[in-house]
Amino acid sequence: MSTPPTTATPTLSGAASPLRRVLAQAGFEVGSLLRNGEQLLVSLVLPAMALVGLNATTSPSLGPGPRIDVATPGVIALCVISAAFTSQAIATGFDRRYAVLRYLGVTPLGRGGLVAAKAVATFVVEAVQIAVIGVLGLLLGWRPQASGIPYAVLFVVAGTWAFVALALLLAGTLRAEAVLAVANLLWVVLLGLGGVIVPRSELPAGLSHLASVLPSAGLADGLRSALQHGQLNLAALGVVLVWGVLATALAARLFRFDD
């Protein structure tokens, strides 16, 4: 006599690990950023246009050296600012307005996981930006110093930290509409007067002194020193790190998950 077939008892899979939760949320964040036409314009299209335009013209003055060698590190700095500050501030501000942050904060992802996911997403977007700008720069004749690439990576990481912290500080203290206006305004100001596209040394004396203490100029100066001369600019790194520490401390104290 045959025995009746047995039915396997279904087992419940365990909860996802913290790393998997962070990576899943980071994937969602990247998709949201890349699907947002306005932020894609700011993060990729405008920097690429700026690089082509700077290479094709003789104004504004970028100082000594081939223009493309000076312009490309500045545009890479602009990419970091666009992804880490402008895009993250606006996205986080509206997530906060629509209570997305509050709901995600009480899920297994947690608030720490949410911040980590935003940082991972920013690095992914920056990798795409820098790859596109780097290839475009090489096609236009850019010849970076290979010995300075590790220093450039250091500045990208430090700059991302500082600007993500500033983005969270802005998004966590102002209403979404104000975040949108202020983030875009600061992007324009830093682009023109923050030592990003035009090196700090080429700005008028007063603006040059002001820019010397800004994280935008610290990031751009550090990238130029690394990619043009293969050198580590310790003064510029110090400026970026100080901003990172201050912005992180203020964001941790003042950030509100509820609008």
Side-chain angles (χ1 to χ4, degrees):
M1 183 169 122
S2 61
T3 58
T6 59
T7 303
T9 303
T11 58
L12 297 176
S13 59
S17 66
L19 177 60
R20 289 185 62 185
R21 291 196 291 265
V22 168
L23 293 179
Q25 179 63 26
F28 175 79
E29 297 271 349
V30 171
S32 297
L33 288 172
L34 295 180
R35 286 193 300 269
N36 188 316
E38 178 186 352
Q39 296 310 313
L40 188 61
L41 176 69
V42 171
S43 297
L44 192 57
V45 177
L46 291 181
M49 291 175 61
L51 183 61
V52 173
L54 288 169
N55 184 62
T57 62
T58 57
S59 180
S61 172
L62 300 183
R67 284 181 69 82
I68 191 64
D69 289 348
V70 181
T72 305
V75 173
I76 290 175
L78 180 62
C79 288
V80 173
I81 295 169
S82 299
F85 178 70
T86 310
S87 294
Q88 278 298 347
I90 293 171
T92 305
F94 280 94
D95 282 349
R96 176 170 165 256
R97 174 182 177 177
Y98 295 118
V100 174
L101 296 184
R102 183 178 63 189
Y103 293 135
L104 286 175
V106 297
T107 66
L109 177 67
R111 296 183 175 185
L114 177 60
V115 173
K118 286 184 174 294
V120 171
T122 300
F123 280 121
V124 171
V125 172
E126 287 175 354
V128 174
Q129 292 175 296
I130 293 171
V132 171
I133 295 301
V135 169
L136 181 58
L138 291 173
L139 291 175
L140 293 173
W142 177 44
R143 296 296 179 264
Q145 290 289 330
S147 60
I149 291 177
Y151 301 145
V153 172
L154 173 62
F155 270 94
V156 168
V157 172
T160 300
W161 167 40
F163 279 104
V164 166
L166 287 168
L168 294 179
L169 176 61
L170 182 66
T173 54
L174 300 180
R175 297 184 67 85
E177 294 81 3
V179 173
L180 178 63
V182 172
N184 282 320
L185 176 62
L186 287 176
W187 187 87
V188 173
V189 171
L190 293 178
L191 171 67
L193 304 176
V196 179
I197 294 299
V198 178
R200 184 171 55 83
S201 60
E202 298 303 304
L203 295 173
L207 286 177
S208 177
H209 292 317
L210 175 62
S212 67
V213 298
L214 296 178
S216 54
L219 175 60
D221 286 351
L223 288 173
R224 289 192 183 97
S225 294
L227 296 174
Q228 271 190 277
H229 309 295
Q231 299 173 350
L232 176 61
N233 189 329
L234 288 175
L237 182 61
V239 170
V240 176
L241 293 178
V242 167
W243 276 93
V245 170
L246 291 176
T248 299
L250 288 173
R253 183 176 182 84
L254 301 176
F255 189 93
R256 301 191 306 271
F257 278 76
D258 294 319
D259 197 357

